[in-house]
């Protein structure tokens, strides 16, 4: 199938050209919680949109194949004075002037790979989701994880949304409200799109907890809109 992808792609067939009728649309907004008020029982609801099966099997394969070539690293970050390697691998791609200071690490943007760029364009076409950088995380198995955080760095453009694409193993994604006990757990499958709408990061933390039963790798792409030349 991957060979077929390449052949058709080389012939000018664009794998990422339009929203696939079979994907997403029917299921789109199956969990649309964009009204970031309170639900009937008075609990806060996060401003997110979940689009199940946004990417079809061919698109997922093309991206996963490309992801094998990414220059991933496992940088060390300082937590309470001690250095620890992050429990996953990552790489940041972006436009010129879109470097990122993330968990105290200064990450210079690498140029966009072909399919990551096509996915960025598709998100802009399908949902008007503008982005000028993407953080790719690779979780080798269920031991790899991401702790609770908000994507609220000062270089993230005000009013912008963060689009998160999942590939590979299914993993739980947990949202926790900052000022109440409210928690939501969403199972993210390969091909799903999760949109974290502005201003979700003000009020909610999110995490990808360990799941020791998971033995397969997962990739996640979070497309972000940064203020250009924020770091000079
Ligand atoms: O892997 C995920 O689904 C979450 C990634 C994330 O929160 C981030 O990159 O900031
Ligand atoms: Fe995040």
């Amino acid at each position: 199938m991957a060979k077929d992808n390449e052949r058709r792609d080389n012939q000018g067939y664009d794998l990422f050209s339009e929203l696939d009728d079979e994907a997403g649309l029917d299921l789109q907004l199956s969990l649309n919680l964009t009204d970031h008020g309170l639900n009937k029982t008075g609990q806060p609801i996060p401003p997110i949109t979940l689009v199940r099966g946004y990417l079809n099997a061919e698109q997922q394969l093309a991206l996963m194949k490309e992801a094998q070539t990414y220059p991933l690293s496992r940088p060390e970050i300082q937590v309470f004075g001690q250095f620890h390697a992050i429990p996953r691998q990552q790489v940041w791609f972006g436009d010129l002037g879109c470097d990122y200071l993330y968990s105290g690490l200064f990450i210079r943007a690498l140029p966009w790979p072909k399919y990551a760029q096509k996915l960025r364009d598709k998100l802009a076409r399908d949902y008007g989701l503008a982005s000028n950088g993407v953080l790719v995380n690779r979780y080798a198995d269920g031991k790899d994880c991401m702790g609770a955080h908000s994507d609220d760095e000062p270089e993230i453009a005000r009013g912008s949304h963060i689009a998160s694409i999942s590939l590979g193993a299914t993993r739980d994604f947990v949202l926790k409200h900052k000022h109440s006990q409210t928690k939501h757990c969403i199972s993210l499958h390969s091909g799903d799109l999760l949109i974290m709408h502005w201003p979700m990061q003000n009020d909610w933390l999110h995490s990808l907890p360990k799941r020791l039963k998971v033995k397969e790798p997962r990739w996640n792409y979070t497309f972000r809109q940064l203020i250009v030349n924020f770091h000079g």
Side-chain angles (χ1 to χ4, degrees):
M1 176 121 89
K3 276 232 162 62
D4 202 37
N5 285 350
E6 261 164 41
R7 184 167 48 75
R8 290 157 77 181
D9 204 31
N10 291 341
Q11 285 171 1
Y13 167 83
D14 189 347
L15 265 181
F16 286 75
S17 60
E18 56 203 71
L19 200 59
D20 186 329
D21 288 346
E22 288 165 28
L25 268 190
D26 292 351
L27 299 168
Q28 185 187 335
L29 313 188
S30 56
L31 180 66
N32 187 350
L33 302 174
T34 50
D35 171 10
H36 46 89
L38 304 176
N39 71 9
K40 283 193 193 115
T41 60
Q43 285 182 327
I45 49 176
I48 59 173
T49 302
L50 178 61
V51 184
R52 293 276 186 213
Y54 175 60
L55 297 183
N56 66 30
E58 280 185 307
Q59 293 164 334
Q60 292 174 42
L61 261 177
L63 277 163
M64 282 197 271
K65 196 169 169 210
E66 179 179 270
Q68 314 278 353
T69 69
Y70 294 168
L72 296 164
S73 69
R74 193 183 288 272
E76 299 209 329
I77 57 170
Q78 209 172 358
V79 185
F80 301 119
Q82 297 246 26
F83 282 94
H84 299 274
I86 60 169
R88 61 190 173 275
Q89 289 181 293
Q90 67 177 35
V91 63
W92 170 251
F93 301 114
D95 293 347
L96 221 60
C98 294
D99 305 322
Y100 199 17
L101 188 60
Y102 178 90
S103 297
L105 293 169
F106 181 73
I107 314 174
R108 202 168 282 290
L110 295 176
W112 290 85
K114 174 175 160 184
Y115 286 116
Q117 162 86 54
K118 280 179 182 283
L119 180 52
R120 158 179 60 173
D121 295 345
K122 179 173 166 60
L123 288 162
R125 269 196 320 270
D126 293 343
Y127 294 107
L129 288 164
S131 60
N132 52 20
V134 64
L135 183 69
V136 181
N137 285 294
R138 180 179 188 273
Y139 305 88
D141 56 28
K143 289 199 286 297
D144 276 358
C145 61
M146 189 177 290
H149 67 283
S150 299
D151 297 321
D152 56 1
E153 290 78 19
E155 62 264 54
I156 293 191
R158 276 191 71 78
S160 67
H161 312 290
I162 296 179
S164 158
I165 294 278
S166 295
L167 292 173
T170 297
R171 292 288 295 263
D172 287 341
F173 180 84
V174 176
L175 289 148
K176 187 177 178 309
H177 192 247
K178 288 186 188 176
H179 312 294
S180 77
Q181 296 307 309
T182 308
K183 259 190 183 184
H184 294 275
C185 181
I186 302 170
S187 209
L188 293 177
H189 304 275
S190 195
D192 288 353
L193 161 66
L194 176 79
I195 307 171
M196 297 188 267
H197 296 278
W198 182 270
M200 187 194 106
Q201 312 296 333
N202 289 348
D203 302 317
W204 296 83
L205 299 166
H206 56 276
S207 62
L208 196 91
K210 281 186 201 236
R211 290 288 180 261
L212 299 184
K213 285 189 183 139
V214 176
K215 304 293 179 202
E216 301 298 318
R218 169 178 183 267
W219 288 263
N220 176 260
Y221 292 62
T222 42
F223 290 84
R224 299 154 194 244
Q225 179 73 17
L226 301 195
I227 299 165
V228 180
N229 291 326
F230 186 87
H231 295 289

